[in-house]
Amino acid sequence: MKPLKIITQNDMGHIALGGAFLGTGGGGDPYIGKLMAEQAIAASGPVKVIDVDDLADDALVVPVAMMGAPTVMLEKLPRGDEALAALRALEALIGRKADAVFCIEAGGLNSTIPIAVAATAGLPIVDADGMGRAFPELQMVSMTMAGVSACPMTMADEKGNAITLNTVDNLSTEKFARSITVEMGGAGLIAIYPMTGAQAKKAALRGSMSLIHNVGRIIQEEQAANRNCADRLAKDLNGFRLFEGRVMDVNRRTTGGFARGTAIIEGLDGFAGRKIQLHFQNEFLVAQTDAGEPLAMTPDLICLLDLETGVPITTETMGYGFRVIVFGLPCDPVWRSEHGLQLVGPSYFGYEHNYVPIEDLKRSAP
Amino acid sequence: MKPLKIITQNDMGHIALGGAFLGTGGGGDPYIGKLMAEQAIAASGPVKVIDVDDLADDALVVPVAMMGAPTVMLEKLPRGDEALAALRALEALIGRKADAVFCIEAGGLNSTIPIAVAATAGLPIVDADGMGRAFPELQMVSMTMAGVSACPMTMADEKGNAITLNTVDNLSTEKFARSITVEMGGAGLIAIYPMTGAQAKKAALRGSMSLIHNVGRIIQEEQAANRNCADRLAKDLNGFRLFEGRVMDVNRRTTGGFARGTAIIEGLDGFAGRKIQLHFQNEFLVAQTDAGEPLAMTPDLICLLDLETGVPITTETMGYGFRVIVFGLPCDPVWRSEHGLQLVGPSYFGYEHNYVPIEDLKRSAP
């Protein structure tokens, strides 16, 4: 995989597409962030991508992100400078300028918004992230496992409100920040997990920006060649084409701030005569047969791709009749540790499965 | 009225009683704050009470308070240092030490907690407050009318969480802080409205600590002499004994974070044969006849006193069969301005009455 060294306006299409893929159905549509980044790059020039090892040990690295319901962002358009305001507030609090911007997650909206901030602030972005995919909560990052505090954390909205949190642990940060986003009208921009370069080297999941860009490029290249990207993605990323079929039913309910639900997919072609269930809570979290046999589960990645175009489909847009490929990808090994599974394993989300890696499930599948 | 110059442990009984009276049925039972203040004074010595005019113009004055549901404080006992933690966090943010503590309101719990903080921090308390009574929301203070921002504001809980707010206006401060108290388990301690001495001189409602102490002293003196305090309070404070009777019905509902409701009181003695309604939202806000003719309304003070002992009764404890005096008191003139009535007049709380001062209602009453 070719490492990404610089992000120009022309790269944003690939990045948005790759971000949608690694969003595993959630994380929001990267489209708004793509527009913001394209504008920021047009105004301030391309963004340099640096390796985490290029950071000085005492550098200040700051992840910036959107928090809240991504759907809100489509209606409550960001003014454009809230994320920068959150970064500036954090810098003022810490008493020094950031040296680089970081992505809290590698999927969805939060794979593109940090690029806009980096462009405007004239900072490089680190080729890494804290999830290697999208997850719904703030504490679900490799930084938590590396003992990095989410705080001090700053939040900003489009009205000009700014709030700073110093909580006793990262789960408390999530809880307070979540209720504040509600008062902000459903979404806010945040600067969080301020790290030294030394901490970032320990905590970062490496190569994420290159991965996102590469995935987007593959999807577009295969589209241009009238091929579905699934085969090439499977080969290049050690992924699995888990199932193909038609969405027969989608059952959604919004509880506890999550869009929870289940989709039933009826097999087509080689999968005809079989049915699977996809369980989601913002992101796709469990794929299992009708009989309850798992095909893949969190923290491994479950992505839904359009059967014709290969374009990623979110849990929000998926509907009856969609012809889809269910695609699986092993997660970063860090999530398979005991601490990792505590944070993002099936039981955290209320599923009864004990975690089994996707490769093992695939091997034992009929 | 004798000005209060120093607060010792022995003064706390009077202050708690006076605080309950000026709480006008809300603001929480000052009992917890009384215990905290008594302990703090025992450990660190008496608290000096200073006149607002004794402050240097560039002094830093900081109101501290409990925010949230006072009932929660009775079950979730404060660790004792959260209010001090909020003050210290604000000091750190501003970059200088406070020179004096201030009461955001003169009623309920928040008339006693600041004394505990002042004792522990070794600071004087200003003989003033921001309401001249209790009101339920943060923006309902004379500081708002004087153009003082509620922010930067800090919040702390007993777990060690600390949050800082910088909002676009004082109403937004209230909204954000309210939702944060919910995450804090229903109540938090705050430091808010940091002011210079010059701002405090402009904004403060003067003499509040002396008033609270004096009211408490009168209630106890009259109790000791087997007299009800209402007559003497009416004479000394230009107040009115509006009604006497028995509570026949209390209708409570909790909506939007308020304990809203109505009590029906049936007249006794000179008031026999008449009925009045008391409307409350945490505090008593409107007293009116059965036919809807107002006897008193917010921002004037409506206090409920036990007919025998003169002890103030809160909206929470009031129940069927209580024999009570409904006592009214003119509010500070600042609340009768157009801006004052916007903040705390009957229409803000959803009542249809146009504000008429209690003296005028009393004059035109049958």
Side-chain angles (χ1 to χ4, degrees):
Chain A
M1 193 177 73
K2 207 179 79 184
L4 186 66
K5 289 296 176 193
I6 193 136
I7 301 172
T8 66
Q9 277 182 276
N10 292 337
D11 294 304
M12 288 311 305
H14 290 164
I15 289 173
L17 210 47
F21 178 85
L22 291 169
T24 66
D29 188 327
Y31 183 69
I32 292 274
K34 171 178 177 281
L35 291 184
M36 287 168 67
E38 284 171 347
Q39 282 178 10
I41 292 170
S44 310
V47 173
K48 200 176 154 196
V49 184
I50 59 171
D51 195 277
V52 69
D53 291 320
D54 294 340
L55 289 165
D57 276 353
D58 65 348
L60 175 62
V61 187
V62 182
V64 293
M66 190 280 302
M67 177 169 191
T71 40
V72 172
M73 292 289 280
L74 296 173
E75 294 175 7
K76 185 172 90 102
L77 274 177
R79 208 174 52 187
D81 54 359
E82 300 94 322
L84 189 65
L87 174 64
R88 293 294 184 231
L90 192 60
E91 288 176 334
L93 196 69
I94 293 174
R96 61 172 289 193
K97 290 278 180 187
D99 298 300
V101 169
F102 192 97
C103 289
I104 190 171
E105 59 188 334
L109 204 47
N110 285 331
S111 56
T112 49
I113 284 179
I115 299 170
V117 174
T120 307
L123 292 174
I125 194 162
V126 181
D127 192 3
D129 84 308
M131 298 185 187
R133 50 167 295 174
F135 279 123
E137 298 181 5
L138 291 181
Q139 78 282 8
M140 298 174 168
V141 287
S142 51
M143 287 78 95
T144 298
M145 278 189 281
V148 178
S149 172
C151 293
M153 169 202 181
T154 54
M155 307 180 66
D157 68 12
E158 80 289 357
K159 297 187 200 76
N161 295 303
I163 293 179
T164 307
L165 282 76
N166 262 304
T167 64
V168 292
D169 55 39
N170 295 354
L171 185 59
S172 301
T173 313
E174 159 67 25
K175 287 184 176 170
F176 282 111
R178 190 67 55 188
S179 74
I180 291 165
T181 61
V182 174
E183 281 305 322
M184 285 183 166
L189 280 300
I190 65 176
I192 187 169
Y193 290 102
M195 289 177 277
T196 63
Q199 285 178 307
K201 287 169 201 176
K202 198 176 151 208
L205 304 188
R206 289 151 191 255
S208 308
M209 299 310 295
S210 294
L211 175 64
I212 292 171
H213 188 266
N214 199 43
V215 168
R217 188 177 49 77
I218 291 174
I219 295 174
Q220 280 204 336
E221 282 176 6
E222 297 298 289
Q223 265 183 341
N226 276 319
R227 286 191 299 264
N228 190 293
C229 58
D231 290 330
R232 193 159 150 217
L233 287 175
K235 184 165 152 283
D236 287 13
L237 305 177
N238 299 316
F240 304 98
R241 196 172 181 136
L242 297 172
F243 200 74
E244 280 180 34
R246 192 190 305 269
V247 177
M248 295 309 289
D249 194 23
V250 182
N251 187 342
R252 281 190 188 88
R253 57 194 186 284
T254 301
T255 46
F258 283 116
R260 295 173 202 261
T262 309
I264 308 292
I265 302 174
E266 216 169 59
L268 289 171
D269 303 329
F271 298 88
R274 292 166 54 194
K275 253 193 214 174
I276 68 161
Q277 304 169 356
L278 276 185
H279 295 275
F280 56 90
Q281 293 182 26
N282 293 5
E283 281 77 31
F284 293 110
L285 295 177
V286 172
Q288 63 185 35
T289 67
D290 234 17
E293 294 298 320
L295 304 172
M297 64 182 92
T298 178
D300 289 325
L301 287 72
I302 302 168
C303 312
L304 204 64
L305 307 175
D306 183 282
L307 187 58
E308 275 74 43
T309 65
V311 168
I313 298 168
T314 64
T315 56
E316 287 155 11
T317 53
M318 163 183 66
Y320 176 82
F322 277 40
R323 297 173 65 220
V324 296
I325 296 173
V326 181
F327 192 88
L329 207 61
C331 65
D332 190 285
V334 77
W335 292 124
R336 295 179 171 183
S337 66
E338 194 182 331
H339 192 180
L341 291 173
Q342 269 173 21
L343 286 175
V344 295
S347 63
Y348 181 87
F349 293 99
Y351 301 109
E352 285 179 7
H353 298 295
N354 286 316
Y355 175 70
V356 181
I358 187 171
E359 316 84 273
D360 299 350
L361 289 171
K362 188 71 189 166
R363 247 195 309 276
S364 63
Chain B
M1 192 176 74
K2 207 180 78 183
L4 186 67
K5 290 294 176 196
I6 193 133
I7 301 173
T8 67
Q9 278 182 276
N10 292 338
D11 294 304
M12 288 311 304
H14 290 164
I15 290 174
L17 209 46
F21 179 85
L22 291 170
T24 66
D29 189 327
Y31 182 70
I32 293 274
K34 171 178 178 280
L35 290 184
M36 288 168 68
E38 284 171 348
Q39 282 177 10
I41 291 170
S44 310
V47 173
K48 199 176 153 197
V49 184
I50 59 172
D51 194 276
V52 69
D53 290 321
D54 294 340
L55 289 165
D57 276 353
D58 65 348
L60 176 61
V61 186
V62 182
V64 293
M66 189 280 301
M67 179 171 189
T71 39
V72 171
M73 292 288 280
L74 297 174
E75 294 174 9
K76 185 171 90 100
L77 274 177
R79 209 175 52 188
D81 54 359
E82 300 95 321
L84 190 65
L87 175 65
R88 293 294 185 231
L90 193 60
E91 288 175 332
L93 196 70
I94 294 175
R96 61 173 289 192
K97 289 279 180 187
D99 298 298
V101 169
F102 192 97
C103 287
I104 190 172
E105 58 187 336
L109 204 46
N110 285 331
S111 55
T112 48
I113 284 179
I115 299 170
V117 174
T120 308
L123 292 175
I125 194 163
V126 181
D127 190 4
D129 84 307
M131 298 187 188
R133 49 167 294 171
F135 279 123
E137 299 182 4
L138 292 181
Q139 78 281 7
M140 298 174 168
V141 287
S142 51
M143 288 80 95
T144 298
M145 279 188 280
V148 178
S149 171
C151 294
M153 169 202 181
T154 54
M155 307 180 66
D157 69 11
E158 80 290 356
K159 297 187 201 76
N161 295 303
I163 294 180
T164 306
L165 282 75
N166 263 303
T167 64
V168 292
D169 55 39
N170 294 354
L171 185 60
S172 302
T173 314
E174 158 67 24
K175 288 185 176 168
F176 282 110
R178 190 67 54 187
S179 74
I180 291 165
T181 61
V182 173
E183 281 307 320
M184 284 183 166
L189 279 299
I190 66 175
I192 187 169
Y193 289 103
M195 288 177 278
T196 62
Q199 285 178 307
K201 286 169 202 177
K202 198 176 151 206
L205 305 188
R206 289 151 192 254
S208 309
M209 300 309 295
S210 295
L211 175 65
I212 292 172
H213 188 266
N214 198 44
V215 168
R217 188 176 49 76
I218 290 174
I219 296 174
Q220 281 203 339
E221 281 177 5
E222 297 297 291
Q223 268 184 341
N226 275 318
R227 286 191 298 263
N228 191 293
C229 57
D231 290 330
R232 190 156 154 220
L233 287 175
K235 184 166 152 282
D236 287 13
L237 304 177
N238 300 317
F240 304 98
R241 197 170 181 138
L242 296 172
F243 200 74
E244 280 180 35
R246 193 191 304 270
V247 177
M248 295 310 291
D249 194 23
V250 182
N251 186 342
R252 282 191 188 84
R253 56 194 188 284
T254 301
T255 47
F258 284 114
R260 294 174 204 260
T262 308
I264 307 292
I265 302 173
E266 218 170 57
L268 288 172
D269 303 329
F271 298 87
R274 292 165 56 191
K275 254 192 213 172
I276 68 162
Q277 304 170 357
L278 276 185
H279 294 276
F280 56 90
Q281 292 182 27
N282 294 5
E283 283 77 30
F284 293 111
L285 295 177
V286 173
Q288 62 184 36
T289 67
D290 234 17
E293 293 298 319
L295 303 174
M297 63 183 92
T298 177
D300 290 325
L301 287 72
I302 302 167
C303 311
L304 204 63
L305 306 176
D306 184 283
L307 187 59
E308 273 74 43
T309 63
V311 168
I313 299 168
T314 65
T315 57
E316 287 155 10
T317 54
M318 165 182 64
Y320 176 82
F322 278 40
R323 297 173 65 219
V324 297
I325 296 173
V326 181
F327 192 89
L329 207 60
C331 66
D332 190 286
V334 77
W335 293 124
R336 295 179 171 184
S337 66
E338 194 182 331
H339 193 180
L341 291 172
Q342 270 173 21
L343 286 174
V344 294
S347 63
Y348 182 87
F349 294 99
Y351 301 110
E352 284 180 8
H353 297 294
N354 287 316
Y355 175 70
V356 182
I358 188 171
E359 315 86 275
D360 299 349
L361 289 172
K362 187 71 187 165
R363 246 194 308 276
S364 63

